[in-house]
Amino acid sequence: MVSSAIIHASTKEDDTIRYHSLHDNKYLQYFRGHKGKVVSLEVSPVDDGFMSGALDKTVRLWDLRAPNCRGMLTLPSYPIVAYDITSLVFAVAVNHYSRILLYDPNNYDKAPFLTITLEDPTLAQISYPPRPIYMTSLSFSSNSKFILVGCSGDAHYILDAYEGHLLAKLEGYVGLERRSLSAPPSIEPAKGSSGEEVSWTPDSKYVIGGSLDGKVLVWDVQGLLPLGNSPIDAKVPLKRIQPLVALDGHPGPSRCVKFNPRIAMLCTAGSELVSRKFSS
């Protein structure tokens, strides 16, 4: 996809995905098929493919050059989607089942080659049965070794992308499932959750995230894997990581956090419709 064009979901008339040229200010293509609101949209980093996940409980695979989808997955709940940096793998998170499914794009019509169950043993120490984990975003690290799972509650998670081991829990922020600090706690996020509240830095050494209190948090996630080629010991306790630093962000919730992939600049957006930029 050229840098002067974008794809976006729309609910203006129906749930069509639109390919919009910013240079000409016109639509180049319409992608019809979803029968529910599109809640996850991911462009391939290497070609003209992209994926969409919607409330109709389907994932559709598309090509920018054709209006019809080239593949579809039907799931038991609505999905969140992500490509790895090479597009040799894509991931689908299925809420209400706490599953993350990894597929080969050339064999998406077959069973996933890896199914990860996201289970946090520390949640049972707080309440029993433990609170469900509600996933809002997925993203692979730039070296494709890790998967960052953004969640609506008070923790995000990092998984080993090869075997699915839970490596780290990112804490120390206020979950964004509520509209404001005064709203009562809930599990499923209120309307307004962007799914963009947490992201990697370009070198994948740090994770940046927003918070309901407006802070922008930075977690140091280096050293998650054993030294050398040692295998991961699944019996090692989950690593719980507190923020390295908390930046003053927005007067309201910091709901969108993204790092520039080329230069040391971070941009955040909040519910007050104001964006902020941070640079080194």
Side-chain angles (χ1 to χ4, degrees):
M1 186 174 68
V2 295
S3 59
S4 60
I6 61 172
I7 58 170
H8 67 89
S10 174
T11 57
K12 182 177 180 181
E13 297 177 357
D14 50 25
D15 300 295
T16 296
I17 299 168
R18 302 163 185 253
Y19 184 23
H20 185 203
S21 169
L22 300 177
H23 176 72
D24 301 320
N25 193 28
K26 67 178 183 180
Y27 290 109
L28 305 176
Q29 191 71 271
Y30 296 90
F31 304 95
R32 296 180 173 88
H34 281 298
K35 304 302 181 184
K37 181 181 178 181
V38 175
V39 294
S40 186
L41 199 56
E42 184 85 359
V43 177
S44 167
V46 301
D47 57 27
D48 289 326
F50 71 96
M51 292 187 297
S52 56
L55 295 183
D56 61 8
K57 302 179 183 179
T58 66
V59 170
R60 290 178 181 261
L61 286 75
W62 310 84
D63 189 301
L64 288 171
R65 298 164 293 186
N68 299 318
C69 75
R70 56 186 178 87
M72 185 176 72
L73 301 173
T74 301
L75 300 154
S77 182
Y78 84 80
I80 307 294
V81 298
Y83 283 105
D84 88 317
I85 195 67
T86 63
S87 279
L88 296 176
V89 175
F90 71 83
V92 179
V94 185
N95 271 309
H96 305 297
Y97 292 83
S98 298
R99 299 292 193 277
I100 300 172
L101 315 176
L102 269 58
Y103 288 90
D104 175 351
N106 295 320
N107 295 288
Y108 64 84
D109 55 338
K110 297 180 175 61
F113 66 82
L114 179 63
T115 298
I116 303 169
T117 301
L118 181 57
E119 293 180 326
D120 178 359
T122 66
L123 292 177
Q125 301 170 8
I126 301 172
S127 64
Y128 196 86
R131 167 188 167 136
I133 299 173
Y134 201 91
M135 298 174 283
T136 57
S137 67
L138 281 181
S139 58
F140 284 84
S141 60
S142 57
N143 57 14
S144 296
K145 292 182 178 180
F146 307 106
I147 301 174
L148 173 62
V149 184
C151 300
S152 66
D154 294 336
H156 304 303
Y157 299 93
I158 296 178
L159 304 170
D160 162 38
Y162 297 143
E163 298 181 349
H165 297 300
L166 180 58
L167 300 176
K169 179 178 183 178
L170 308 183
E171 301 177 304
Y173 70 101
V174 185
L176 287 152
E177 74 271 26
R178 294 178 287 162
R179 297 296 297 271
S180 66
L181 286 169
S182 60
S186 63
I187 295 176
E188 296 194 15
K191 183 180 180 181
S193 178
S194 71
E196 303 288 347
E197 296 91 351
V198 63
S199 67
W200 298 98
T201 56
D203 58 8
S204 297
K205 294 180 179 179
Y206 302 90
V207 169
I208 314 295
S211 179
L212 193 66
D213 60 8
K215 298 289 186 180
V216 176
L217 295 310
V218 182
W219 290 274
D220 184 345
V221 295
Q222 301 176 74
L224 293 180
L225 292 177
L227 296 177
N229 295 319
S230 302
I232 296 173
D233 186 353
K235 296 181 180 180
V236 173
L238 175 65
K239 189 171 185 179
R240 304 175 71 166
I241 304 176
Q242 293 293 320
L244 180 67
V245 65
L247 305 172
D248 292 328
H250 296 263
S254 300
R255 292 201 174 273
C256 185
V257 178
K258 281 294 181 182
F259 220 99
N260 189 302
R262 297 182 180 178
I263 59 177
M265 181 175 288
L266 166 70
C267 185
T268 69
S271 57
E272 77 279 11
L273 302 180
V274 174
S275 64
R276 297 180 183 273
K277 295 181 180 179
F278 302 85
S279 59
S280 60

